[in-house]
Amino acid sequence: VQLQASGGGLVQAGGSLRLSCAASGRTFSSYTMSWFRQAPGKEREFVGAITSSGSATRYADSVKGRFTISRDDGKGTVHLQMDSLKPEDTAVYYCAAAPGLRLQYVPRITYYNSWGQGTQVTVSS
């Protein structure tokens, strides 16, 4: 599956952004979809994931309660709604896909075989 991320931008602290990831390929519905982010000088880190069925999600502690992942298999898209943004959320955000990956493994980067190109999110204080 090929992925295309979009929706990044500049926002003030406390604001919101909605990222989208468009997927091509007829097997999208069988993929666990995740978001990662990478700030300058830091390693890529897990943000959140949604299972292939859409029935379960998992989030990093740093974004829990502020970010929400959803998916629309009919349109082949996954979204990351980001609310109450903080300056420390500034990073390049990447969507990633892994076929049937269980939630216990979603933070592990090596399990993903498809990545989007990244979209920049900048939160000003």
Side-chain angles (χ1 to χ4, degrees), residues 3-6 18-23 28 31-35 48-51 68-73 75-81 94-97:
L3 306 175
Q4 179 83 24
S6 62
R18 187 185 192 222
L19 304 184
S20 297
C21 179
F28 172 74
Y31 281 76
T32 294
M33 298 298 298
S34 296
W35 288 93
I50 187 167
T51 57
T68 304
I69 292 177
S70 62
R71 65 187 296 158
D72 184 338
D73 286 351
K75 295 182 179 180
T77 57
V78 62
H79 301 287
L80 181 66
Q81 177 66 41
Y94 299 89
C95 55

Side-chain angles (χ1 to χ4, degrees), residues 2 9 26 58 77-78 80 100 112:
Q2 292 185 325
R26 288 178 288 181
R58 177 179 173 179
T77 57
V78 62
L80 181 66
Y112 295 87

Side-chain angles (χ1 to χ4, degrees), residues 35-39 42-48 60 62-63 88 91 107 109:
W35 288 93
F36 288 78
R37 66 186 181 186
Q38 188 166 19
K42 295 187 177 181
E43 293 185 350
R44 193 169 297 189
E45 66 174 3
F46 171 75
V47 173
S62 59
V63 307
E88 51 264 42
I109 291 175

